[in-house]
Amino acid sequence: MADKKIKYDPSCMDDYDPSSMDAQIAQQHILHSINSITETEVVPIREALHRVVAEDIRSTINVPSHTNSAMDGYAIKSSDIPSKETKQFKLIGTAWAGRPFRNNVDDNECVRIMTGAVMPANTDTVVMQEHVQVNDNLITIDNKQQANQNVRQAGEDIAEGDLVFTPGKFLNPSDIGLIASLGIGEIKVIRKLRAAFFSTGDELVSIGTPLEVGQIYDSNRYTLWSMLTRIGVEINDLGVVRDTPEAVEAAFLEASENADIVITSGGVSVGDADFVKETLEKLGEVNFWKVAMKPGRPLAFGKIKDAYFFGLPGNPVSVMVTFYIFVQAAIEKMMGHEPKQRIQIKATSKSELRKRPGRVEYQRGTYELDEHGEYTVSKTGEQGSGILRSMSDANCFIYLPMESNGIGIGDKVEIWPFDSFV
Ligand code: AMP
Ligand code: MG
């Protein structure tokens, strides 16, 4: 995949490294290498939420199918709108939503009509019930009415034959409703992506086992499970893999067997046994990068068999940041839609943020609107890349660019709300 391989260099753990890779270049390289999957499946529309459309979806009907009332009121002919101040109309019946009024309406006659009811023959205008005077079956209407008011025309939402969605459309709740409004119950979508992942580390213990000295619970598999599940990816969780060449090789082979994407955490930084790199080079084509970012500097990316491979750092915050910045954009491209534009907002910092130039930083913060309608942001405590609490308490990243050498209280910063990552 990569035309130039970046050598695995132990200096990657130095705090500032001028030879490290720009995060944006790394992201572009990754996106450039990724091909979208093309296999499709037909699913009921309830299963099509957050999936990508794989066929032209055209309407076979008009929506709405009949011209109908947008208000509760009285249906009249527009030619009957009074020319003088007021006029009395004879009430001849009621049109309900789903129960049309089937008789003709003559001059000086009106029909009580409910929202959504089909307009009776000859009528084209609805007078809101708040704007009439009712006296038994005599209805007084004034001359302030406009022809065709309060009426929804047949086909005004979608006309028969209209192209509603084309391949590549990512379906949100309103899209599912729109497809349902056409009477379409099943559609063709890109099949689900399959991800396999595991954690590496001799110190890791799964939930349910008491901790011994030096051991920690594996949290990365749970954050990965959560981040993948909410974007609709099918999951194969291979558990914790020990730091031995045999275990790592077996896990990579199993993971790449049936997956579109293999994700690991840990084992890509200096200090990790070199066999991870050797194993990966034996099985596929993988680059080890030191990216000029914090958290998340060491990153491996490449291919094992037919699966794209992401080796994320082990630290829990680094896993989340590299997932959001690199993996999720890649998954979106694999699923056939372009990476979504992340929302970026300027906010006034209420915290002092320490930083050195030479890398971008994704600090974690909480933003809110102040009493003047301006966004402010505060950092969430200690920002170490192992401190998951800093993510858990946060509702945004505070993005500090390469050249920034820190932020003072009152300075403007760029924030990336987490909402835009869903
Ligand atoms: P590594 O990248 O393997 O050197 O790991 C960096 C740090 O992240 C170490 O402190 C690890 O103990 C920790 N770590 C690695 N994997 C996990 C995991 N799955 N869950 C929680 N912490 C982890
Ligand atoms: Mg490790």
PDB file of all heavy atoms in Angstrom, residues 200-201 203 243 266-267 272, ligand 2:
ATOM      1  N   THR A 200      -3.670  -6.300  23.236  1.00  0.00           N
ATOM      2  CA  THR A 200      -2.422  -7.008  23.525  1.00  0.00           C
ATOM      3  C   THR A 200      -1.853  -6.505  24.844  1.00  0.00           C
ATOM      4  O   THR A 200      -1.945  -5.320  25.150  1.00  0.00           O
ATOM      5  CB  THR A 200      -1.357  -6.766  22.437  1.00  0.00           C
ATOM      6  OG1 THR A 200      -0.969  -5.378  22.482  1.00  0.00           O
ATOM      7  CG2 THR A 200      -1.884  -7.088  21.058  1.00  0.00           C
ATOM      8  N   GLY A 201      -1.279  -7.400  25.601  1.00  0.00           N
ATOM      9  CA  GLY A 201      -0.609  -6.995  26.837  1.00  0.00           C
ATOM     10  C   GLY A 201      -0.671  -8.075  27.902  1.00  0.00           C
ATOM     11  O   GLY A 201      -1.748  -8.599  28.185  1.00  0.00           O
ATOM     12  N   GLU A 203      -0.252  -7.580  30.931  1.00  0.00           N
ATOM     13  CA  GLU A 203      -0.795  -7.017  32.173  1.00  0.00           C
ATOM     14  C   GLU A 203      -2.326  -6.985  32.178  1.00  0.00           C
ATOM     15  O   GLU A 203      -2.939  -6.656  33.178  1.00  0.00           O
ATOM     16  CB  GLU A 203      -0.243  -5.597  32.394  1.00  0.00           C
ATOM     17  CG  GLU A 203      -0.836  -4.480  31.525  1.00  0.00           C
ATOM     18  CD  GLU A 203      -0.305  -4.405  30.088  1.00  0.00           C
ATOM     19  OE1 GLU A 203       0.133  -5.441  29.552  1.00  0.00           O
ATOM     20  OE2 GLU A 203      -0.358  -3.316  29.492  1.00  0.00           O
ATOM     21  N   ASP A 243       1.592 -11.192  25.123  1.00  0.00           N
ATOM     22  CA  ASP A 243       2.750 -10.686  24.377  1.00  0.00           C
ATOM     23  C   ASP A 243       3.728 -11.803  24.040  1.00  0.00           C
ATOM     24  O   ASP A 243       4.869 -11.802  24.501  1.00  0.00           O
ATOM     25  CB  ASP A 243       3.468  -9.600  25.211  1.00  0.00           C
ATOM     26  CG  ASP A 243       2.666  -8.309  25.314  1.00  0.00           C
ATOM     27  OD1 ASP A 243       1.999  -7.939  24.337  1.00  0.00           O
ATOM     28  OD2 ASP A 243       2.718  -7.662  26.371  1.00  0.00           O
ATOM     29  N   GLY A 266      -2.504  -1.417  21.798  1.00  0.00           N
ATOM     30  CA  GLY A 266      -1.273  -1.760  22.509  1.00  0.00           C
ATOM     31  C   GLY A 266      -0.260  -2.414  21.576  1.00  0.00           C
ATOM     32  O   GLY A 266      -0.587  -2.838  20.466  1.00  0.00           O
ATOM     33  N   GLY A 267       0.965  -2.426  22.063  1.00  0.00           N
ATOM     34  CA  GLY A 267       1.986  -3.175  21.331  1.00  0.00           C
ATOM     35  C   GLY A 267       2.560  -2.494  20.106  1.00  0.00           C
ATOM     36  O   GLY A 267       3.257  -3.129  19.331  1.00  0.00           O
ATOM     37  N   ASP A 272       7.548  -2.325  23.368  1.00  0.00           N
ATOM     38  CA  ASP A 272       6.807  -3.536  23.051  1.00  0.00           C
ATOM     39  C   ASP A 272       7.732  -4.427  22.236  1.00  0.00           C
ATOM     40  O   ASP A 272       8.516  -3.953  21.436  1.00  0.00           O
ATOM     41  CB  ASP A 272       5.561  -3.192  22.230  1.00  0.00           C
ATOM     42  CG  ASP A 272       4.621  -2.321  23.035  1.00  0.00           C
ATOM     43  OD1 ASP A 272       4.277  -2.727  24.147  1.00  0.00           O
ATOM     44  OD2 ASP A 272       4.285  -1.231  22.570  1.00  0.00           O
TER      45      ASP A 272
HETATM   46 MG    MG B   2       1.613  -3.427  25.807  1.00  0.00          MG
END
